[in-house]
Amino acid sequence: MLRFKSLGSGSSGNATLVEAQSGMHNTRLLIDCGLRLGDLETRLIEAGTCAEDLSAIFITHEHGDHIGCARSFVKRYATPLWMSQGTWLAVSDAAWTQHQHLLNIARDGCAIELGPLLALPFTVPHDAREPLQLRCSDGQRHLGIATDLGHPSSHVVDALQGCHSLLLEANHDAEMLTASNYPSFLKQRVAGPWGHLSNHAAAELLGRVKHDQLSYVLAAHLSERNNTPSLARASLSEALGCKPIDIDVADPLTGSVWISV
């Protein structure tokens, strides 16, 4: 069985828990640690697990809303850590190198085997050193996670083909972003090809990967200033051919419920 739960998603911090069960054994992978340590510990307990039960942590890239408390977490719990070489070079300093023995380097297209859970990293176009997102599987069901990308590249589209569930960025509404009080450079960054997916771009990506067995889409990483859940739902539901209420949205503070893939 494969399931996942957002522990929080947005500019204030991101973390996603993926669990694969085989018999009596559960493998739990935490994707990103973009929360304060105490908040993350609390949300793991609320999810029915705890920090000590994590099999590994995967960091998608070095931006603060994703790497967050990773160093403090690893220092306290000695959890195995995965990230790209580029991400490691972007964050490593004297304090980080104390935990280098826990580091594993992730690479595009090279599968990570964690018991019954298989995680396949893939590169995405984003303004970070070497950002990676993940496709997770228990051998039968497939979950695609794609946030923090400026456009749906052909490589991303290929990586998400055949997924049964998606956690998909719908960061901003283009009109809201244009009308916002963001400075021009920030508007250009967010809307640019190395920034974040707009609702329209997310819908375009969804339209290119949808298939008959894609049964669930969780919209994630919504901007609190430049998007609304209703706008994200409208765009993604149109692309998927379902009702807006069928698209769930990850909350910045509460994330989502557990979702079976």
Side-chain angles (χ1 to χ4, degrees):
M1 183 182 73
L2 183 67
R3 64 176 188 162
F4 72 104
K5 174 180 171 59
S6 170
L7 302 180
S9 182
S11 58
S12 58
N14 298 271
T16 303
L17 190 58
V18 179
E19 179 184 272
Q21 183 177 7
S22 178
M24 299 298 292
H25 179 69
N26 290 320
T27 296
R28 298 181 180 93
L29 173 64
L30 180 66
I31 302 171
D32 288 331
C33 291
L35 307 171
R36 293 185 300 178
L37 180 57
D39 290 339
L40 181 55
E41 291 169 327
T42 297
R43 294 187 200 185
L44 286 168
I45 291 170
E46 291 172 348
T49 184
C50 62
E52 291 88 348
D53 288 341
L54 295 180
S55 302
I57 297 170
F58 185 95
I59 301 298
T60 60
H61 62 291
E62 69 270 18
H63 292 166
D65 58 328
H66 291 266
I67 198 163
C69 70
R71 186 168 64 189
S72 299
F73 195 102
V74 168
K75 179 179 180 180
R76 180 172 294 183
Y77 297 105
T79 311
L81 184 67
W82 288 84
M83 65 178 73
S84 71
Q85 182 71 33
T87 300
W88 173 250
L89 292 174
V91 303
S92 58
D93 55 21
W96 262 111
T97 54
Q98 297 176 21
H99 312 295
Q100 191 167 2
H101 63 289
L102 296 167
L103 174 68
N104 300 275
I105 295 300
R107 297 176 176 83
D108 172 69
C110 295
I112 300 168
E113 295 186 25
L114 301 168
L117 178 62
L118 187 72
L120 185 65
F122 58 92
T123 56
V124 296
H126 190 52
D127 57 353
R129 186 74 174 264
E130 189 185 350
L132 297 171
Q133 295 291 322
L134 282 181
R135 179 188 181 112
C136 298
S137 176
D138 64 351
Q140 296 182 333
R141 308 292 289 180
H142 296 265
L143 163 68
I145 297 176
T147 71
D148 296 77
L149 62 159
H151 66 277
S153 67
S154 58
H155 185 61
V156 170
V157 172
D158 289 344
L160 296 177
Q161 293 294 335
C163 287
H164 301 94
S165 294
L166 293 174
L167 186 152
L168 179 62
E169 175 175 62
N171 177 258
H172 61 277
D173 172 77
E175 292 183 1
M176 287 184 68
L177 178 62
T178 299
S180 74
N181 61 1
Y182 276 14
S184 295
F185 80 89
L186 184 54
K187 291 180 182 180
Q188 293 172 6
R189 174 195 173 263
V190 171
W194 302 94
H196 293 275
L197 289 185
S198 67
N199 292 337
H200 176 78
E204 177 192 345
L205 174 54
L206 182 55
R208 294 170 68 183
V209 301
K210 71 175 182 179
H211 60 103
D212 290 344
Q213 294 186 55
L214 174 58
S215 59
Y216 186 87
V217 176
L218 178 66
H221 217 302
L222 272 69
S223 168
E224 295 180 33
R225 296 186 182 183
N226 300 311
N227 207 358
T228 67
S230 61
L231 287 172
R233 285 189 174 100
S235 292
L236 296 184
S237 63
E238 183 176 357
L240 195 58
C242 63
K243 297 178 181 178
I245 197 172
D246 294 329
I247 302 292
D248 284 337
V249 176
D251 186 86
L253 298 179
T254 59
S256 70
V257 298
W258 276 107
I259 299 145
S260 295
V261 177

